[in-house]
Amino acid sequence: KAGVTQTPRYLIKTRGQQVTLSCSPISGHRSVSWYQQTPGQGLQFLFEYFSETQRNKGNFPGRFSGRQFSNSRSEMNVSTLELGDSALYLCASSFGGGTNEKLFFGSGTQLSVL
Amino acid sequence: GESVGLHLPTLSVQEGDNSIINCAYSNSASDYFIWYKQESGKGPQFIIDIRSNMDKRQGQRVTVLLNKTVKHLSLQIAATQPGDSAVYFCAENIPPSGSARQLTFGSGTQLTVLP
């Protein structure tokens, strides 16, 4: 069974631009979560989607948004990029998003904002 | 100015020795815990999990111990191998008001296995 797939693997953008990252969960998984990882803040929760609905959101500004499609694939968008948005963005999936389910991560998208 | 990164605790062990990685979690209401391993350039990889109604759980070469009294979690790796070198994170699930889940991660421990 294929793992969580994230594209692109690397991305370089300039301040003010916007970016869209893509995530394909493990087949059969319906919950997709997004996390931001930086050396300064570690791993921080962005949001979680289940059945095309955002169920939970972390403490990030409105420039960070996401969506989930009927096939459970998810995208996240960051508008008006800032230098501090440079990070590894990780997508994780689980079967139903229940609180005692294992969460499986992709390899991430490394975003650099210049 | 210069940004200050998280200070990662480090642990160096000799190949073949046992490793113990510790984690203090934040919320006494947390009901589920996971240990992840992250190698350079990769996403976190699931190692082992434990529910709050358990004190100990064993996997292949790994054991997780949970002490709810002091909110402490540990990961024991038996016969540590060079491939175990990585950053190890503990994560806790704090029950939300709904069914959605949100993991809170620790800052991680860098494990280095010496030949």
Side-chain angles (χ1 to χ4, degrees), chain A:
Chain A
K1 185 186 274 191
V4 178
T5 304
Q6 292 188 247
T7 57
R9 186 70 179 90
Y10 301 96
L11 206 50
I12 299 175
K13 293 286 187 179
T14 56
R15 281 180 298 174
Q17 287 187 310
Q18 74 162 12
V19 66
T20 299
L21 312 181
S22 181
C23 172
S24 292
I26 292 171
S27 178
H29 284 193
R30 297 170 62 193
S31 170
V32 173
S33 301
W34 289 88
Y35 288 79
Q36 182 197 65
Q37 186 175 29
T38 61
Q41 299 296 322
L43 276 150
Q44 293 190 295
F45 173 77
L46 280 157
F47 26 65
E48 187 244 358
Y49 287 87
F50 180 81
S51 291
E52 302 178 64
T53 301
Q54 186 183 89
R55 292 199 300 191
N56 201 3
K57 189 177 190 305
N59 189 27
F60 278 82
R63 299 185 298 106
F64 292 82
S65 63
R67 59 177 176 169
Q68 186 180 34
F69 303 95
S70 59
N71 62 358
S72 295
R73 191 177 69 85
S74 177
E75 291 181 346
M76 69 163 282
N77 184 277
V78 188
S79 62
T80 320
L81 284 166
E82 301 177 359
L83 295 178
D85 296 334
S86 294
L88 180 67
Y89 289 89
L90 292 160
C91 168
S93 76
S94 65
F95 181 69
T99 56
N100 288 341
E101 288 185 357
K102 299 173 186 176
L103 203 61
F104 296 92
F105 283 85
S107 294
T109 294
Q110 183 67 57
L111 172 65
S112 297
V113 182
L114 307 178

Side-chain angles (χ1 to χ4, degrees), chain A residues 98-101, chain B residues 25 27-34 50-54 66 68 91-96 101-103:
Chain A
T99 56
N100 288 341
E101 288 185 357
Chain B
Y25 62 92
N27 196 312
S28 57
S30 295
D31 60 356
Y32 178 61
F33 305 87
I34 309 178
I50 188 168
R51 298 180 183 183
S52 59
N53 61 352
M54 302 171 70
L66 175 61
K68 294 181 287 293
E92 62 183 300
N93 184 82
I94 303 170
R101 62 106 51 82
Q102 173 181 335
L103 290 180

Side-chain angles (χ1 to χ4, degrees), chain B residues 57-115:
Chain B
R57 190 164 189 221
Q58 289 184 293
Q60 186 177 13
R61 281 202 307 120
V62 295
T63 300
V64 56
L65 299 177
L66 175 61
N67 185 330
K68 294 181 287 293
T69 303
V70 294
K71 294 190 289 186
H72 183 267
L73 200 63
S74 69
L75 176 70
Q76 301 177 2
I77 305 174
T80 313
Q81 302 169 358
D84 295 329
S85 292
V87 176
Y88 288 80
F89 293 95
C90 66
E92 62 183 300
N93 184 82
I94 303 170
S97 56
S99 61
R101 62 106 51 82
Q102 173 181 335
L103 290 180
T104 299
F105 283 81
S107 58
T109 295
Q110 174 71 60
L111 174 66
T112 301
V113 180
L114 306 172

